[in-house]
Amino acid sequence: MQVDLMALYRRWGRPDIGVDSLAEWLCFAFAFPSGEKFTLQREAYNPPTPGFLLSVTSTLFSAEAAGQLIKAPDISEAYAIELSSEVEN
């Protein structure tokens, strides 16, 4: 998902920081009123692309849900870059 990091900061504040054996990650977590959750994450210091990875729960793993997810952070310039080939149509 392409969304400006500073736009996320302005709208949602500082991200959570996660660390694994690969890198340190910036993470923004969101939840729908239904309880479904998703995160936007990207490598903190040397991201390979300007966008964010969108990680979702299984019920949100569909092409139909992608539009909802892109609108949910309430940043008008956000858009999908690429959907995984595993996403259900």
Side-chain angles (χ1 to χ4, degrees):
M1 182 170 146
Q2 182 63 46
V3 61
D4 182 64
L5 176 60
M6 293 313 294
L8 285 168
Y9 272 30
R10 284 190 298 273
R11 178 69 176 100
W12 297 103
R14 296 182 60 95
D16 292 326
I17 304 294
V19 178
D20 64 16
S21 60
L22 297 174
E24 189 168 315
W25 300 87
L26 303 178
C27 304
F28 292 89
F30 300 91
F32 286 110
S34 64
E36 295 300 328
K37 298 173 180 81
F38 69 97
T39 62
L40 295 175
Q41 54 199 35
R42 108 181 197 183
E43 202 276 328
Y45 299 111
N46 298 298
T49 66
F52 282 77
L53 296 170
L54 176 61
S55 181
V56 300
T57 55
S58 61
T59 55
L60 295 175
F61 196 67
S62 71
E64 182 180 325
Q68 265 188 300
L69 297 170
I70 291 165
K71 292 177 184 171
D74 196 26
I75 298 174
S76 61
E77 66 269 14
Y79 62 93
I81 297 172
E82 179 180 346
L83 293 179
S84 167
S85 60
E86 298 172 347
V87 171
E88 298 173 15
N89 287 318

Coordinates of all heavy atoms in Angstrom, one line a residue:
M1 N 0.8 -1.2 0.0 CA 0.0 0.0 0.0 C 0.9 1.2 0.0 O 1.8 1.3 0.8 CB -0.9 0.0 1.2 CG -1.8 1.1 1.3 SD -3.0 0.8 2.7 CE -3.2 2.4 3.3
Q2 N 0.6 2.1 -0.9 CA 1.4 3.4 -0.9 C 0.6 4.4 -0.1 O -0.5 4.8 -0.3 CB 1.5 3.9 -2.4 CG 2.3 5.2 -2.5 CD 3.7 5.0 -2.1 OE1 4.4 4.0 -2.4 NE2 4.2 5.9 -1.3
V3 N 1.3 4.9 0.9 CA 0.8 6.0 1.8 C 2.0 6.6 2.4 O 3.0 6.0 2.8 CB -0.2 5.4 2.9 CG1 0.5 4.4 3.8 CG2 -0.8 6.6 3.7
D4 N 2.0 7.9 2.5 CA 3.1 8.7 3.0 C 3.3 8.5 4.5 O 2.3 8.6 5.3 CB 2.8 10.2 2.7 CG 4.0 11.1 3.1 OD1 5.1 10.9 2.6 OD2 3.7 11.9 4.0
L5 N 4.5 8.2 4.9 CA 4.8 8.0 6.3 C 4.4 9.3 7.1 O 3.8 9.1 8.2 CB 6.2 7.7 6.5 CG 6.7 7.6 8.0 CD1 6.0 6.5 8.7 CD2 8.2 7.3 8.0
M6 N 4.7 10.5 6.7 CA 4.3 11.7 7.4 C 2.8 11.9 7.5 O 2.3 12.4 8.5 CB 5.0 12.9 6.8 CG 6.5 12.9 7.0 SD 7.1 12.5 8.6 CE 6.5 13.8 9.6
A7 N 2.1 11.4 6.5 CA 0.6 11.5 6.5 C 0.1 10.6 7.6 O -0.8 10.9 8.4 CB 0.0 11.1 5.2
L8 N 0.7 9.4 7.8 CA 0.3 8.5 8.8 C 0.6 9.1 10.2 O -0.2 9.1 11.1 CB 1.0 7.1 8.7 CG 0.5 6.2 7.6 CD1 1.4 5.1 7.4 CD2 -0.9 5.7 8.0
Y9 N 1.8 9.7 10.3 CA 2.2 10.4 11.6 C 1.2 11.5 11.9 O 0.7 11.6 13.1 CB 3.5 11.0 11.4 CG 4.8 10.2 11.7 CD1 4.8 8.8 11.6 CD2 5.9 10.8 12.2 CE1 5.9 8.1 11.8 CE2 7.1 10.1 12.4 CZ 7.1 8.7 12.3 OH 8.2 8.0 12.5
R10 N 0.9 12.3 11.0 CA -0.1 13.4 11.2 C -1.4 12.9 11.6 O -2.1 13.5 12.5 CB -0.2 14.3 10.0 CG 1.0 15.2 9.8 CD 0.8 16.3 8.8 NE 0.5 15.7 7.4 CZ 1.5 15.4 6.6 NH1 2.8 15.6 6.8 NH2 1.2 14.9 5.4
R11 N -1.9 11.9 11.0 CA -3.3 11.4 11.3 C -3.3 10.5 12.5 O -4.3 10.5 13.3 CB -3.8 10.6 10.0 CG -5.1 10.0 10.1 CD -6.2 11.1 10.2 NE -7.5 10.6 10.2 CZ -8.2 10.4 11.4 NH1 -7.8 10.8 12.5 NH2 -9.4 9.9 11.3
W12 N -2.3 9.6 12.7 CA -2.4 8.6 13.7 C -1.3 8.6 14.8 O -1.3 7.7 15.6 CB -2.5 7.2 13.0 CG -3.7 7.1 12.2 CD1 -3.7 7.2 10.8 CD2 -5.0 6.9 12.6 NE1 -5.0 7.0 10.4 CE2 -5.8 6.8 11.4 CE3 -5.6 6.7 13.8 CZ2 -7.2 6.7 11.5 CZ3 -7.0 6.5 13.9 CH2 -7.7 6.5 12.7
G13 N -0.4 9.5 14.7 CA 0.6 9.6 15.7 C 1.8 8.7 15.4 O 1.9 8.1 14.3
R14 N 2.7 8.5 16.4 CA 3.9 7.7 16.2 C 3.5 6.2 16.1 O 2.6 5.8 16.7 CB 4.8 7.9 17.3 CG 5.3 9.4 17.4 CD 6.3 9.5 18.5 NE 7.5 8.7 18.4 CZ 8.6 9.0 17.8 NH1 8.8 10.2 17.4 NH2 9.6 8.1 17.7
P15 N 4.2 5.5 15.2 CA 4.0 4.1 15.1 C 4.5 3.3 16.2 O 5.4 3.7 17.0 CB 4.7 3.7 13.8 CG 5.9 4.7 13.8 CD 5.3 6.0 14.4
D16 N 4.0 2.1 16.4 CA 4.6 1.1 17.2 C 5.9 0.6 16.5 O 6.0 0.7 15.3 CB 3.7 -0.1 17.5 CG 2.5 0.3 18.3 OD1 2.6 1.1 19.2 OD2 1.4 -0.3 18.0
I17 N 6.9 0.2 17.3 CA 8.1 -0.4 16.8 C 8.2 -1.8 17.1 O 8.0 -2.3 18.2 CB 9.4 0.3 17.4 CG1 9.3 1.9 17.2 CG2 10.6 -0.2 16.8 CD1 9.3 2.3 15.8
G18 N 8.4 -2.7 16.1 CA 8.6 -4.1 16.2 C 10.0 -4.5 15.8 O 10.5 -3.8 14.9
V19 N 10.6 -5.5 16.4 CA 11.9 -6.0 16.0 C 11.8 -7.5 15.9 O 11.3 -8.2 16.7 CB 12.9 -5.6 17.1 CG1 14.3 -6.1 16.8 CG2 13.0 -4.1 17.4
D20 N 12.4 -7.9 14.8 CA 12.6 -9.4 14.6 C 14.0 -9.6 14.1 O 14.8 -8.7 14.1 CB 11.5 -10.0 13.6 CG 11.6 -9.4 12.2 OD1 12.6 -8.8 11.8 OD2 10.6 -9.6 11.4
S21 N 14.3 -10.8 13.7 CA 15.7 -11.1 13.3 C 16.1 -10.5 12.0 O 17.3 -10.4 11.7 CB 15.9 -12.7 13.2 OG 15.0 -13.2 12.2
L22 N 15.2 -9.9 11.3 CA 15.5 -9.2 10.0 C 15.7 -7.7 10.1 O 16.6 -7.2 9.5 CB 14.4 -9.5 9.0 CG 14.1 -10.9 8.6 CD1 12.9 -11.0 7.7 CD2 15.3 -11.5 7.9
A23 N 14.9 -7.1 11.0 CA 15.0 -5.6 11.0 C 14.1 -5.1 12.1 O 13.5 -5.8 12.9 CB 14.4 -5.1 9.7
E24 N 14.1 -3.7 12.2 CA 13.2 -3.0 13.1 C 12.1 -2.5 12.2 O 12.4 -2.0 11.1 CB 14.0 -1.8 13.7 CG 13.2 -1.1 14.8 CD 14.0 -0.2 15.6 OE1 15.2 -0.5 16.0 OE2 13.6 1.0 15.8
W25 N 10.9 -2.6 12.6 CA 9.7 -2.3 11.8 C 8.9 -1.2 12.4 O 8.6 -1.1 13.6 CB 8.8 -3.5 11.6 CG 9.5 -4.7 11.0 CD1 10.3 -5.6 11.6 CD2 9.6 -5.0 9.6 NE1 10.8 -6.5 10.7 CE2 10.4 -6.1 9.4 CE3 9.0 -4.4 8.5 CZ2 10.6 -6.7 8.2 CZ3 9.2 -5.0 7.2 CH2 10.0 -6.1 7.1
L26 N 8.4 -0.3 11.5 CA 7.4 0.7 11.9 C 6.0 0.1 11.7 O 5.8 -0.5 10.6 CB 7.5 2.0 11.1 CG 8.8 2.7 11.1 CD1 8.7 3.9 10.2 CD2 9.2 3.1 12.5
C27 N 5.1 0.1 12.7 CA 3.8 -0.6 12.6 C 2.7 0.3 13.0 O 2.8 0.9 14.1 CB 3.8 -1.9 13.4 SG 5.1 -3.0 13.1
F28 N 1.7 0.4 12.2 CA 0.4 1.1 12.5 C -0.7 0.0 12.6 O -0.8 -0.7 11.6 CB 0.1 2.2 11.5 CG 1.0 3.3 11.5 CD1 2.2 3.3 10.7 CD2 0.8 4.4 12.3 CE1 3.0 4.4 10.7 CE2 1.6 5.5 12.3 CZ 2.8 5.5 11.5
A29 N -1.3 -0.2 13.7 CA -2.4 -1.2 13.8 C -3.8 -0.5 13.8 O -4.0 0.5 14.4 CB -2.2 -2.0 15.1
F30 N -4.7 -1.2 13.2 CA -6.1 -0.7 13.1 C -7.1 -1.8 13.3 O -6.8 -3.0 13.1 CB -6.4 -0.1 11.6 CG -5.4 1.0 11.2 CD1 -4.3 0.7 10.6 CD2 -5.8 2.3 11.5 CE1 -3.4 1.7 10.2 CE2 -4.9 3.3 11.2 CZ -3.7 3.1 10.5
A31 N -8.3 -1.4 13.8 CA -9.3 -2.4 14.0 C -10.6 -1.8 13.6 O -10.9 -0.7 13.8 CB -9.4 -2.8 15.5
F32 N -11.4 -2.7 12.9 CA -12.8 -2.3 12.5 C -13.7 -2.5 13.7 O -13.4 -3.3 14.6 CB -13.3 -3.2 11.3 CG -12.6 -2.8 10.0 CD1 -11.7 -3.6 9.4 CD2 -12.9 -1.6 9.4 CE1 -11.1 -3.3 8.2 CE2 -12.4 -1.2 8.2 CZ -11.5 -2.1 7.6
P33 N -14.9 -1.9 13.7 CA -15.8 -2.1 14.8 C -16.2 -3.6 15.0 O -16.5 -4.0 16.1 CB -17.1 -1.3 14.4 CG -16.5 -0.2 13.6 CD -15.3 -0.8 12.8
S34 N -16.1 -4.4 13.9 CA -16.5 -5.8 13.9 C -15.4 -6.6 14.6 O -15.6 -7.8 14.9 CB -16.6 -6.3 12.5 OG -15.4 -6.2 11.8
G35 N -14.3 -6.0 14.9 CA -13.2 -6.7 15.6 C -12.1 -7.2 14.7 O -11.0 -7.6 15.2
E36 N -12.3 -7.1 13.4 CA -11.2 -7.5 12.4 C -10.1 -6.5 12.5 O -10.3 -5.3 12.7 CB -11.8 -7.5 11.0 CG -12.8 -8.6 10.8 CD -12.3 -10.0 11.1 OE1 -11.1 -10.3 10.9 OE2 -13.1 -10.8 11.6
K37 N -8.9 -7.0 12.4 CA -7.7 -6.1 12.6 C -6.8 -6.2 11.4 O -6.7 -7.2 10.7 CB -6.9 -6.5 13.8 CG -7.7 -6.4 15.1 CD -7.0 -7.0 16.3 CE -7.8 -6.9 17.5 NZ -8.8 -7.9 17.7
F38 N -6.0 -5.1 11.2 CA -5.0 -5.1 10.1 C -3.8 -4.2 10.5 O -4.0 -3.3 11.4 CB -5.5 -4.8 8.8 CG -6.0 -3.4 8.6 CD1 -5.1 -2.4 8.0 CD2 -7.2 -3.0 9.0 CE1 -5.5 -1.1 7.8 CE2 -7.6 -1.7 8.8 CZ -6.8 -0.7 8.2
T39 N -2.7 -4.4 10.0 CA -1.5 -3.5 10.3 C -0.9 -3.0 9.0 O -0.9 -3.7 7.9 CB -0.5 -4.2 11.1 OG1 0.1 -5.3 10.4 CG2 -1.0 -4.7 12.4
L40 N -0.3 -1.9 9.0 CA 0.6 -1.4 8.0 C 2.0 -1.4 8.6 O 2.2 -0.9 9.7 CB 0.2 0.1 7.6 CG -1.1 0.3 7.0 CD1 -1.4 1.8 6.8 CD2 -1.2 -0.4 5.7
Q41 N 2.9 -2.0 7.9 CA 4.3 -2.1 8.4 C 5.3 -1.9 7.4 O 5.1 -2.2 6.2 CB 4.5 -3.5 9.1 CG 4.1 -4.6 8.2 CD 3.9 -5.9 9.0 OE1 3.3 -5.9 10.1 NE2 4.3 -7.0 8.5
R42 N 6.5 -1.4 7.8 CA 7.6 -1.2 6.9 C 8.9 -1.2 7.6 O 8.9 -0.8 8.8 CB 7.3 0.0 6.0 CG 8.2 1.2 6.3 CD 7.8 2.3 5.3 NE 8.8 3.3 5.3 CZ 8.8 4.4 4.7 NH1 7.7 4.7 4.0 NH2 9.8 5.3 4.7
E43 N 9.9 -1.5 7.0 CA 11.2 -1.6 7.6 C 11.6 -0.1 8.0 O 11.3 0.8 7.3 CB 12.3 -2.1 6.6 CG 13.5 -2.7 7.3 CD 14.5 -1.6 7.5 OE1 14.6 -0.6 6.7 OE2 15.3 -1.7 8.5
A44 N 12.1 0.1 9.2 CA 12.2 1.4 9.8 C 13.3 2.2 9.1 O 13.1 3.4 8.9 CB 12.5 1.3 11.3
Y45 N 14.5 1.7 8.9 CA 15.6 2.5 8.5 C 16.0 2.4 7.0 O 16.4 3.4 6.4 CB 16.9 2.1 9.3 CG 16.6 2.3 10.8 CD1 16.5 1.3 11.7 CD2 16.5 3.6 11.3 CE1 16.3 1.5 13.0 CE2 16.3 3.9 12.6 CZ 16.2 2.8 13.5 OH 15.9 3.0 14.8
N46 N 15.8 1.3 6.4 CA 16.1 1.2 4.9 C 15.0 0.4 4.2 O 15.3 -0.7 3.6 CB 17.5 0.4 4.8 CG 18.6 1.2 5.4 OD1 18.9 2.3 5.1 ND2 19.2 0.6 6.5
P47 N 13.8 1.0 4.1 CA 12.8 0.3 3.4 C 13.1 0.1 1.9 O 13.6 1.0 1.3 CB 11.5 1.2 3.6 CG 12.1 2.5 3.9 CD 13.4 2.3 4.6
P48 N 12.9 -1.1 1.4 CA 13.2 -1.4 0.0 C 12.2 -0.6 -1.0 O 12.6 -0.5 -2.1 CB 13.0 -2.9 -0.1 CG 12.1 -3.2 1.0 CD 12.3 -2.3 2.1
T49 N 11.1 -0.2 -0.5 CA 10.1 0.6 -1.3 C 9.5 1.6 -0.4 O 9.6 1.5 0.8 CB 9.0 -0.3 -1.9 OG1 8.2 -0.8 -0.8 CG2 9.5 -1.5 -2.7
P50 N 8.9 2.7 -1.0 CA 8.3 3.7 -0.2 C 7.0 3.3 0.4 O 6.5 4.0 1.3 CB 8.1 4.9 -1.2 CG 8.0 4.2 -2.5 CD 8.9 3.0 -2.4
G51 N 6.4 2.2 0.1 CA 5.1 1.8 0.6 C 5.2 1.0 1.9 O 6.2 0.8 2.4
F52 N 4.0 0.5 2.3 CA 3.9 -0.3 3.5 C 3.3 -1.7 3.1 O 2.5 -1.8 2.2 CB 2.9 0.4 4.5 CG 3.5 1.5 5.2 CD1 3.7 2.7 4.7 CD2 3.9 1.3 6.6 CE1 4.2 3.8 5.4 CE2 4.4 2.4 7.3 CZ 4.6 3.6 6.7
L53 N 3.7 -2.7 3.9 CA 3.0 -4.0 3.8 C 1.7 -3.9 4.5 O 1.7 -3.3 5.6 CB 3.9 -5.1 4.4 CG 5.2 -5.3 3.7 CD1 6.1 -6.3 4.6 CD2 5.0 -5.9 2.3
L54 N 0.7 -4.5 4.0 CA -0.6 -4.5 4.6 C -0.8 -6.0 5.1 O -0.8 -6.9 4.3 CB -1.7 -4.1 3.6 CG -3.1 -4.2 4.1 CD1 -3.4 -3.3 5.3 CD2 -4.0 -3.8 2.9
S55 N -0.9 -6.2 6.4 CA -1.1 -7.5 7.0 C -2.5 -7.6 7.5 O -2.9 -6.7 8.3 CB 0.0 -7.7 8.0 OG -0.2 -9.0 8.6
V56 N -3.2 -8.6 7.2 CA -4.7 -8.7 7.6 C -5.0 -10.1 8.2 O -4.3 -11.0 8.0 CB -5.6 -8.5 6.4 CG1 -5.4 -7.1 5.7 CG2 -5.4 -9.6 5.3
T57 N -6.1 -10.1 8.9 CA -6.7 -11.3 9.4 C -7.3 -12.1 8.3 O -7.6 -11.5 7.2 CB -7.7 -11.1 10.5 OG1 -8.7 -10.2 10.0 CG2 -7.1 -10.5 11.8
S58 N -7.5 -13.4 8.4 CA -8.0 -14.2 7.3 C -9.3 -13.7 6.7 O -9.5 -13.8 5.5 CB -8.1 -15.7 7.7 OG -9.0 -15.8 8.8
T59 N -10.2 -13.2 7.5 CA -11.5 -12.7 6.9 C -11.4 -11.5 6.1 O -12.3 -11.2 5.3 CB -12.6 -12.5 8.0 OG1 -12.1 -11.6 9.0 CG2 -12.9 -13.8 8.7
L60 N -10.3 -10.8 6.2 CA -10.1 -9.6 5.4 C -9.2 -9.8 4.2 O -8.8 -8.9 3.4 CB -9.4 -8.4 6.2 CG -10.3 -7.9 7.4 CD1 -9.5 -6.9 8.2 CD2 -11.6 -7.3 6.8
F61 N -8.8 -11.1 4.0 CA -7.9 -11.5 2.9 C -8.6 -11.7 1.6 O -8.8 -12.9 1.2 CB -7.1 -12.7 3.4 CG -5.8 -13.0 2.6 CD1 -4.8 -12.1 2.6 CD2 -5.7 -14.1 1.7 CE1 -3.6 -12.3 1.9 CE2 -4.6 -14.3 1.0 CZ -3.5 -13.4 1.1
S62 N -9.1 -10.6 1.0 CA -9.8 -10.7 -0.3 C -9.6 -9.4 -1.1 O -9.3 -8.4 -0.5 CB -11.2 -11.0 -0.1 OG -11.9 -9.9 0.4
A63 N -9.8 -9.5 -2.4 CA -9.7 -8.3 -3.2 C -10.8 -7.3 -2.8 O -10.6 -6.1 -2.8 CB -9.7 -8.7 -4.7
E64 N -11.9 -7.9 -2.5 CA -13.1 -7.0 -2.1 C -12.8 -6.2 -0.9 O -13.1 -5.0 -0.8 CB -14.3 -7.8 -1.9 CG -15.5 -7.0 -1.5 CD -16.8 -7.9 -1.3 OE1 -16.9 -9.0 -1.9 OE2 -17.6 -7.5 -0.4
A65 N -12.1 -6.8 0.1 CA -11.8 -6.1 1.4 C -10.7 -5.1 1.2 O -10.5 -4.1 1.9 CB -11.3 -7.1 2.4
A66 N -9.8 -5.2 0.1 CA -8.7 -4.3 -0.1 C -9.1 -2.9 -0.2 O -8.5 -2.0 0.4 CB -7.9 -4.7 -1.3
G67 N -10.2 -2.6 -0.9 CA -10.7 -1.2 -1.0 C -11.1 -0.6 0.4 O -10.8 0.5 0.7
Q68 N -11.7 -1.4 1.2 CA -12.1 -1.0 2.6 C -10.8 -0.7 3.4 O -10.8 0.3 4.1 CB -12.8 -2.1 3.3 CG -14.3 -2.1 3.3 CD -14.8 -3.1 4.2 OE1 -14.5 -4.3 4.0 NE2 -15.6 -2.7 5.2
L69 N -9.9 -1.5 3.3 CA -8.6 -1.4 4.1 C -7.9 -0.2 3.7 O -7.3 0.5 4.5 CB -7.7 -2.6 3.9 CG -8.4 -3.9 4.4 CD1 -7.5 -5.1 3.9 CD2 -8.5 -3.9 5.9
I70 N -7.9 0.2 2.4 CA -7.1 1.3 1.9 C -7.8 2.6 2.4 O -7.1 3.6 2.8 CB -7.0 1.3 0.4 CG1 -6.0 0.2 0.1 CG2 -6.5 2.6 -0.1 CD1 -6.1 -0.2 -1.4
K71 N -9.1 2.6 2.6 CA -9.8 3.8 3.0 C -9.8 3.9 4.6 O -10.0 5.0 5.1 CB -11.3 3.7 2.6 CG -11.4 3.9 1.1 CD -12.9 3.8 0.6 CE -13.0 3.8 -0.9 NZ -14.3 3.5 -1.4
A72 N -9.6 2.8 5.3 CA -9.8 2.8 6.7 C -8.8 3.8 7.5 O -9.3 4.4 8.4 CB -9.6 1.4 7.3
P73 N -7.6 3.9 7.1 CA -6.7 4.9 7.8 C -7.1 6.3 7.6 O -6.5 7.2 8.2 CB -5.3 4.6 7.3 CG -5.4 3.2 6.7 CD -6.8 3.1 6.2
D74 N -8.1 6.6 6.7 CA -8.6 7.9 6.5 C -7.5 8.9 6.0 O -7.4 10.0 6.4 CB -9.2 8.5 7.8 CG -10.1 9.7 7.6 OD1 -10.6 9.8 6.4 OD2 -10.3 10.5 8.5
I75 N -6.8 8.4 5.0 CA -5.8 9.2 4.3 C -6.1 9.2 2.8 O -5.9 8.1 2.2 CB -4.3 8.8 4.6 CG1 -4.1 8.9 6.1 CG2 -3.3 9.6 3.8 CD1 -2.8 8.4 6.6
S76 N -6.6 10.2 2.3 CA -7.1 10.2 0.9 C -6.1 9.8 -0.2 O -6.5 9.2 -1.2 CB -7.8 11.6 0.6 OG -6.8 12.6 0.6
E77 N -4.9 10.1 0.0 CA -3.9 9.8 -1.1 C -3.4 8.3 -1.0 O -2.6 8.0 -1.9 CB -2.8 10.8 -1.1 CG -1.9 10.7 0.1 CD -2.3 11.7 1.2 OE1 -3.4 12.2 1.2 OE2 -1.5 11.9 2.2
A78 N -3.8 7.5 -0.1 CA -3.4 6.1 0.0 C -4.0 5.3 -1.2 O -5.1 5.5 -1.6 CB -3.8 5.5 1.3
Y79 N -3.2 4.4 -1.7 CA -3.7 3.5 -2.8 C -2.9 2.2 -2.7 O -1.8 2.1 -2.2 CB -3.6 4.1 -4.1 CG -2.2 4.5 -4.6 CD1 -1.4 3.6 -5.3 CD2 -1.6 5.7 -4.2 CE1 -0.1 3.9 -5.8 CE2 -0.3 6.1 -4.7 CZ 0.4 5.2 -5.4 OH 1.7 5.5 -5.8
A80 N -3.5 1.1 -3.4 CA -2.9 -0.2 -3.4 C -1.8 -0.2 -4.5 O -2.0 0.4 -5.6 CB -3.9 -1.3 -3.7
I81 N -0.7 -0.8 -4.2 CA 0.4 -0.9 -5.2 C 0.2 -2.3 -5.9 O 0.3 -2.4 -7.1 CB 1.8 -0.8 -4.5 CG1 2.0 0.5 -3.9 CG2 2.9 -1.1 -5.5 CD1 3.2 0.7 -3.1
E82 N 0.1 -3.3 -5.1 CA 0.0 -4.7 -5.6 C -0.7 -5.6 -4.6 O -0.5 -5.5 -3.4 CB 1.5 -5.2 -5.8 CG 1.6 -6.5 -6.4 CD 3.0 -7.0 -6.5 OE1 3.9 -6.1 -6.5 OE2 3.3 -8.2 -6.7
L83 N -1.5 -6.5 -5.1 CA -2.2 -7.5 -4.3 C -1.4 -8.8 -4.5 O -1.0 -9.2 -5.6 CB -3.6 -7.7 -4.7 CG -4.6 -6.5 -4.4 CD1 -6.0 -6.9 -4.9 CD2 -4.6 -6.1 -3.0
S84 N -1.3 -9.5 -3.4 CA -0.6 -10.8 -3.4 C -1.4 -11.7 -4.4 O -2.7 -11.7 -4.4 CB -0.6 -11.4 -2.0 OG -0.3 -12.8 -2.1
S85 N -0.7 -12.6 -5.0 CA -1.4 -13.6 -5.9 C -2.3 -14.6 -5.1 O -3.1 -15.3 -5.6 CB -0.4 -14.4 -6.7 OG 0.5 -15.1 -5.9
E86 N -2.1 -14.6 -3.8 CA -2.9 -15.5 -2.9 C -4.2 -14.9 -2.5 O -5.1 -15.6 -2.0 CB -2.1 -15.8 -1.7 CG -0.8 -16.5 -1.9 CD 0.1 -16.7 -0.7 OE1 -0.2 -16.0 0.3 OE2 1.0 -17.5 -0.7
V87 N -4.4 -13.6 -2.8 CA -5.7 -12.9 -2.4 C -6.8 -13.5 -3.3 O -6.7 -13.6 -4.5 CB -5.6 -11.4 -2.7 CG1 -6.9 -10.7 -2.5 CG2 -4.5 -10.8 -1.7
E88 N -7.9 -13.8 -2.6 CA -9.1 -14.3 -3.2 C -9.8 -13.2 -4.0 O -9.9 -12.1 -3.4 CB -10.1 -14.9 -2.2 CG -9.5 -16.1 -1.5 CD -10.4 -16.5 -0.3 OE1 -11.6 -16.1 -0.3 OE2 -10.0 -17.3 0.5
N89 N -10.3 -13.4 -5.2 CA -11.0 -12.4 -5.9 C -12.5 -12.4 -5.5 O -13.1 -13.2 -5.1 CB -10.9 -12.6 -7.4 CG -9.5 -12.3 -7.8 OD1 -8.9 -11.3 -7.4 ND2 -8.9 -13.1 -8.7

